[in-house]
Amino acid sequence: MDTPHAHAPAPATRATGQPIGNPQRASDTDRENTAARLRDAVGEGRLTLAEADERIAAAYTAVHHHELAALADDLPAPPPPPA
């Protein structure tokens, strides 16, 4: 028999979808890195130009790290730099 406390609660979020707590603010470098990853995804054939344009615009207006992460969370991690 399941009890009301049998499952862990989902993380609390605000109406905007932003996690409640202390989200980390993104820097200009973080935004540039995300935009570069999105541009690379176009070259890899993973995003269309229209998808990338929309996501890149969102990257430049993002305030917190979780906003940037959401823009590329359906893309594989970039390849490591050559040794």
Side-chain angles (χ1 to χ4, degrees), residues 13-50:
T13 59
R14 295 184 174 96
T16 61
Q18 180 178 339
I20 294 174
N22 192 17
Q24 295 291 308
R25 293 183 71 89
S27 69
D28 288 343
T29 300
D30 297 326
R31 286 183 276 279
E32 287 291 339
N33 289 340
T34 298
R37 177 66 193 113
L38 295 169
R39 285 189 291 274
D40 289 346
V42 172
E44 296 164 358
R46 298 183 192 280
L47 293 175
T48 66
L49 285 173

Side-chain angles (χ1 to χ4, degrees), residues 37-81:
R37 177 66 193 113
L38 295 169
R39 285 189 291 274
D40 289 346
V42 172
E44 296 164 358
R46 298 183 192 280
L47 293 175
T48 66
L49 285 173
E51 290 171 319
D53 285 345
E54 184 177 313
R55 292 185 191 199
I56 290 168
Y60 285 118
T61 61
V63 175
H64 296 99
H65 281 277
H66 71 272
E67 295 169 299
L68 292 174
L71 296 172
D73 67 356
D74 62 341
L75 300 173

